[in-house]
Amino acid sequence: MSQVSEEREDRVDVPEPVPAAVPDPTAPDSKTVPEPVQKASRAGRNLPAAIGVGLLLGAAIVTSLLTVRFLFIGIIAIAIAVGTIELAGVLKRAAGIQIALVPVLVGGQAMIWLAWPFRHEGALTAFVLTVLVCLLWRLRGGADGYLRDISASVFAVAYIPLFGAFAAMLVPPEDGVGRVLAFMIGVVASDTGGYIAGVLGGKHPMAPSISPKKTWEGFAGSLVAGVVAGALTLSLLLDGQAWQGVLFGAAIVCTATLGDLVESLIKRDLGVKDMGNMLPGHGGLMDRLDSLLPSAVVSWLLLSAFIPV
């Protein structure tokens, strides 16, 4: 017994080695410094790029008007062609809709350039012929999707080049430079006033299901800026009255806002953020034409009524 006890007393228990812990790949690394989260700008866009692009576009327009004003029709024609290609591309990518691109492009150019000498008669004639050619052009594609593609083609022809033709019709009169500037300044003032007011104090969404960032405060800012711009441009650049400028500015604000909402609805329907990425800080060219196109129609109608040629 004593021997056994001595053996037990002499034995030293050595603890078994503890296996090393296996690192959990899903666990955060304590040595890893988390990347700082960049706070989104309230502006919602690359503001320096947006301003730079806007200034370049404005400079090109003003230069054309102050040198040979009919060059502005060429700028319109280029913008209409690019916008048409952008719309055709996003329709095909997002929804598989194939518009009759060649007839729409050719017919669109015909609308712009025929509006110069023949005014609305030339634009309307080119529009009707373009629709007819689209109906025939799509025949070779068969019945599958025919109505869908034709409807999109007619929509594209009316929405972009036909509306754009009204901007071209502002140029030919002797006071065409003033008419174009009144139209452009009105839209820019509406967009800028709404943008600033919306960023600084926008709290009540105007149409949250369509454009969550567009607010009633922003619309109020657009209205103030647009009315002031309209009153100044019609009284200083044209032989118009201040009250006519107020009505003109208010109408431009409404059509510019409506055009922006319509394009937002189109993009939501297609599931895209922008129509393209051609213009840094703006998206595609169509993302800039959205407020200009319907406003061109209203500008031509109101200026023709207020200040007849």
Side-chain angles (χ1 to χ4, degrees):
M1 291 291 294
S2 59
Q3 185 178 0
V4 174
S5 299
E6 291 177 0
E7 289 178 357
R8 288 180 179 177
E9 291 176 359
D10 293 340
R11 187 179 63 187
V12 179
D13 293 332
V14 179
E16 296 182 0
V18 180
V22 179
D24 184 359
T26 62
D29 187 356
S30 60
K31 296 181 180 180
T32 303
V33 179
E35 295 182 359
V37 178
Q38 294 183 352
K39 185 178 179 181
S41 171
R42 294 186 65 187
R45 67 173 74 174
N46 186 338
L47 191 57
I51 294 175
V53 170
L55 290 176
L56 287 175
L57 293 176
I61 292 171
V62 172
T63 300
S64 67
L65 290 173
L66 296 182
T67 53
V68 181
R69 72 175 188 270
F70 289 101
L71 290 175
F72 181 66
I73 298 179
I75 294 177
I76 296 173
I78 295 172
I80 292 303
V82 174
T84 301
I85 294 172
E86 282 186 351
L87 180 61
V90 76
L91 286 174
K92 185 175 181 180
R93 291 191 304 270
I97 299 174
Q98 183 72 51
I99 73 170
L101 185 57
V102 173
V104 171
L105 282 174
V106 175
Q109 293 301 302
M111 287 179 230
I112 299 300
W113 292 106
L114 289 178
W116 175 2
F118 302 111
R119 296 166 59 86
H120 55 281
E121 293 91 346
L124 183 59
T125 300
F127 171 74
V128 173
L129 292 176
T130 301
V131 172
L132 178 60
V133 174
C134 287
L135 294 173
L136 299 175
W137 185 274
R138 182 55 181 76
L139 287 176
R140 59 181 183 175
D144 186 22
Y146 180 82
L147 182 60
R148 175 201 64 194
D149 294 345
I150 287 299
S151 299
S153 299
V154 175
F155 168 74
V157 170
Y159 181 47
I160 305 179
L162 183 60
F163 283 10
F166 285 87
M169 286 190 287
L170 294 171
V171 179
E174 292 184 2
D175 58 353
V177 173
R179 292 172 185 263
V180 173
L181 288 177
F183 154 60
M184 297 294 297
I185 291 173
V187 175
V188 172
S190 174
D191 287 349
T192 304
Y195 180 71
I196 294 174
V199 169
L200 295 180
K203 295 180 180 179
H204 299 88
M206 175 182 288
S209 63
I210 300 175
S211 182
K213 293 183 179 180
K214 189 170 290 296
T215 62
W216 286 108
E217 290 83 1
F219 180 75
S222 293
L223 196 58
V224 171
V227 165
V228 171
L232 291 175
T233 53
L234 261 70
S235 59
L236 297 178
L237 299 178
L238 300 167
D239 294 328
Q241 303 296 321
W243 66 268
Q244 293 174 330
V246 170
L247 294 179
F248 177 80
I252 292 300
V253 169
C254 291
T255 53
T257 303
L258 178 63
D260 191 27
L261 289 174
V262 166
E263 201 209 21
S264 295
L265 197 58
I266 293 172
K267 292 189 289 188
R268 282 191 172 273
D269 186 26
L270 296 175
V272 298
K273 180 181 179 182
D274 294 316
M275 287 292 188
N277 55 8
M278 178 181 179
L279 303 177
H282 292 269
L285 187 59
M286 275 302 300
D287 296 297
R288 292 298 88 203
L289 294 177
D290 56 357
S291 56
L292 290 167
L293 290 171
S295 297
V297 180
V298 173
S299 294
W300 183 81
L301 291 173
L302 289 180
L303 292 178
S304 297
F306 291 157
I307 311 168
V309 178

